[in-house]
Amino acid sequence: MFSRVLIANRGEIALRVIRACHELGISAVAVFSEADRGAAYLDMADEAICIGPAVPAESYLNIPRIMSAAEITNADAIHPGYGFLAENENFAQICKECGITFIGPPPEAMRLLGNKVEARKLAKKAGVSLVPGSDGVVENIEQGLKIAAGIGYPVMIKAVAGGGGRGMRVAHNEMSFRSGFTSAQAEATAAFGDGSVYLEKLIVEPRHVEVQVMADATGKVLHFYERDCSIQRRHQKMIEESPCPVINEKTRQKLCESAIRIIKHANYVNAATVEFLLDKDQHFYFIEVNTRIQVEHPVSEMVTGRDLIKMQLQVASGEKLGLTQRDIKHRGVAIECRINAEDPANGFSPCPGKITRFIPPGGPGIRVDTHVYQGWTVSPSYDSMLCKLIAYRPTRDEAIATMRRALSEFVIEPIKTTIPASLSILSHNLFVKSKIDTEFVERNF
Ligand code: MV4
């Protein structure tokens, strides 16, 4: 096992990784920007190094500065968290060349799955059902029109280098295809430096269901069941839960086995999330793989009773997964609400500023993952997520009741937060009955 791990991230995930390191007897090195100086979790790290100013390009995204911090502190490995450099294959490659273990997949697997057309080909080879679409990159409008006619409208135009909704367009007919194709290419070029696009049939009113997977270096791949992440707004998830409340045990097994097949075919190591769309008839279709630990991993930890961050450290250090699939049971229901410093009454605009009162909830069935404390100043330079509130209960109705109780207890002053938005979603009868899809928030709020 490693003796020292550097965490190339900030906020709640940096704290989450520090905790996992300490449980495994590993010394944790934190890095911080000038905007994060004084964060309480930095005192929990065994060492903390300033790597530059607030602007991410000069600190959390600055590879030379992070590598220097790792070298100075004699770190054996780097945990990238999520966001920032977590899915940067160049960073993973540089770590390797410097003899520092990147706690994530090999750069080759990251490159393969980061290309959505390659990921589709891999899924096909693995025998997993995927959304009907183009076999590869669509080079021009005329070729695209032919393929779209074959698939049947409506179709979705997606960026090959994309993910998370950028560079995506829906086309309902030839005319909207022409304009959508050009603007998707332009947006993809601007966002990813790669304008390549491909086509898929539009799945109407889908649910977003994703499978948590962990692979070790011997090729052993385990799943930790699925999460339903349909409650999102503008591709920002707001509420996630496990298990998905609408799939039966047979569909669940097929879904999770499909995820494992894809990950095995990619020669993958470490944590991954395999995303699917689920339609009204319980058909699921592979869409993409996220090659990182995700924000919402705690719901999978709660229902399986496993520590996914500790497991990431273990498999990265070369340990075999000491579990079999049969050991991993799912029990109960976990729901996570992301609490952001945003004003729901004002278009969810960011609300940075000093927090003068912070009283988090607790009690039975509640987990609070946050780096925030009374006196902390939320910087405008970063993502607005303050806290993840996780309720874990035997049944979904009980988990909803516990979450509502906890959200009502939570005091965060004076900044605006998404607590009221979460409360109103949890009180909506369509959410309670789980008659939802990815458009639920936009349609009802
Ligand atoms: C789709 C889709 C419908 N049909 N693909 C959005 C982000 C990216 N991960 C994939 N996305 C979608 N792909 C087909 N063929 C609908 C979405 C989608 C969506 C997916 C997951 C969660 C929220 C979403 C919100 C709008 C659209």
Side-chain angles (χ1 to χ4, degrees):
M1 182 42 84
F2 308 121
S3 45
R4 199 186 293 274
V5 168
L6 180 138
I7 302 145
N9 214 302
R10 61 177 300 282
E12 75 84 21
I13 193 63
L15 174 54
R16 175 71 188 83
V17 178
I18 291 170
R19 287 175 167 151
C21 285
H22 286 170
E23 288 188 24
L24 290 172
I26 301 167
S27 152
V29 179
V31 296
F32 63 96
S33 73
E34 282 161 15
D36 286 328
R37 188 185 299 283
Y41 68 88
L42 296 175
D43 295 337
M44 284 188 228
D46 299 273
E47 271 183 86
I49 296 194
C50 184
I51 52 165
V55 50
E58 293 182 46
S59 48
Y60 299 111
L61 286 174
N62 191 293
I63 296 174
R65 287 180 177 186
I66 289 166
M67 297 314 293
S68 303
E71 195 170 294
I72 290 166
T73 55
N74 205 18
D76 316 305
I78 297 181
H79 195 301
Y82 49 69
F84 296 119
L85 296 169
E87 291 172 277
N88 184 317
E89 63 200 48
N90 186 37
F91 180 58
Q93 184 68 44
I94 289 167
C95 287
K96 194 173 174 180
E97 283 163 14
C98 293
I100 293 174
T101 305
F102 175 79
I103 302 170
E108 299 77 21
M110 211 191 276
R111 185 171 308 128
L112 177 72
L113 295 169
N115 181 310
K116 308 303 166 191
V117 160
E118 293 304 317
R120 277 174 61 83
K121 286 181 185 161
L122 190 83
K124 200 168 179 180
K125 216 164 65 182
V128 172
S129 75
L130 63 166
V131 189
S134 61
D135 285 332
V137 176
V138 177
E139 302 291 347
N140 56 58
I141 291 188
E142 296 313 316
Q143 184 199 4
L145 284 169
K146 282 187 197 140
I147 297 168
I151 299 167
Y153 289 96
V155 299
M156 209 158 204
I157 306 156
K158 292 187 173 186
V160 173
R166 277 193 300 177
M168 237 173 59
R169 293 288 183 283
V170 177
H172 289 277
N173 51 47
E174 286 202 12
M175 201 168 82
S176 64
F177 186 89
R178 286 177 189 277
S179 60
F181 189 86
T182 308
S183 61
Q185 277 186 328
E187 192 175 314
T189 304
F192 313 112
D194 175 2
S196 322
V197 296
Y198 65 106
L199 302 186
E200 280 182 0
K201 186 162 185 64
L202 179 78
I203 306 298
V204 179
E205 297 177 3
R207 296 175 79 110
H208 172 112
V209 181
E210 57 184 33
V211 178
Q212 176 67 56
V213 174
M214 185 73 68
D216 73 17
T218 72
K220 185 172 185 179
V221 185
L222 301 173
H223 72 77
F224 296 77
Y225 302 96
E226 80 287 357
R227 301 183 283 257
D228 189 322
C229 307
S230 303
I231 300 294
Q232 54 84 45
R233 180 187 166 274
R234 301 198 179 165
H235 302 296
Q236 291 298 313
K237 292 170 184 167
M238 300 174 75
I239 300 177
E240 305 97 347
E241 59 183 287
S242 185
C244 170
V246 300
I247 59 173
N248 58 41
E249 206 54 44
K250 196 170 145 229
T251 306
R252 172 171 295 118
Q253 288 317 322
K254 268 176 40 190
L255 178 78
C256 296
E257 282 161 18
S258 297
I260 286 183
R261 281 206 300 277
I262 291 171
I263 292 305
K264 280 193 169 155
H265 270 75
N267 294 320
Y268 196 92
V269 186
N270 219 285
T273 298
V274 185
E275 292 189 5
F276 297 87
L277 296 175
L278 183 72
D279 73 11
K280 294 267 180 289
D281 304 319
Q282 301 251 326
H283 295 126
F284 59 81
Y285 307 90
F286 166 75
I287 48 172
E288 56 192 71
V289 179
N290 295 322
T291 60
R292 61 173 189 276
I293 192 76
Q294 290 191 228
V295 173
E296 60 271 27
H297 75 274
V299 296
S300 305
E301 294 188 320
M302 299 316 291
V303 299
T304 61
R306 308 289 168 179
D307 186 319
L308 292 165
I309 309 292
K310 283 205 300 205
M311 243 180 262
Q312 281 194 291
L313 293 161
Q314 286 161 335
V315 301
S317 76
E319 284 181 30
K320 267 198 76 171
L321 283 164
L323 292 167
T324 62
Q325 191 62 58
R326 292 174 61 101
D327 296 328
I328 307 167
K329 305 271 198 287
H330 70 92
R331 180 158 177 251
V333 173
I335 302 178
E336 173 180 281
C337 287
R338 300 188 187 191
I339 295 167
N340 296 345
E342 294 169 2
D343 184 1
N346 190 14
F348 290 85
S349 60
C351 285
K354 183 166 175 163
I355 295 173
T356 55
R357 236 159 79 89
F358 186 80
I359 307 172
I366 285 297
R367 167 175 168 181
V368 182
D369 277 24
T370 187
H371 67 296
V372 171
Y373 58 94
Q374 197 154 304
W376 173 244
T377 299
V378 180
S379 165
S381 299
Y382 307 116
D383 184 274
S384 61
M385 195 174 75
L386 298 175
C387 176
K388 304 187 305 204
L389 184 55
I390 302 106
Y392 176 53
R393 285 304 204 186
T395 67
R396 187 167 186 272
D397 285 344
E398 291 166 293
I400 292 171
T402 296
M403 181 64 89
R404 291 181 57 183
R405 183 270 293 170
L407 287 165
S408 308
E409 285 178 10
F410 215 147
V411 179
I412 304 176
E413 289 172 0
I415 63 172
K416 295 272 192 280
T417 74
T418 51
I419 290 173
S422 291
L423 267 172
S424 54
I425 293 168
L426 289 163
S427 305
H428 199 291
N429 82 87
L430 291 177
F431 177 82
V432 173
K433 290 192 284 192
S434 205
K435 292 186 182 304
I436 56 158
D437 58 68
T438 55
E439 303 295 322
F440 174 81
V441 177
E442 272 100 353
R443 198 160 47 230
N444 295 286
F445 292 93

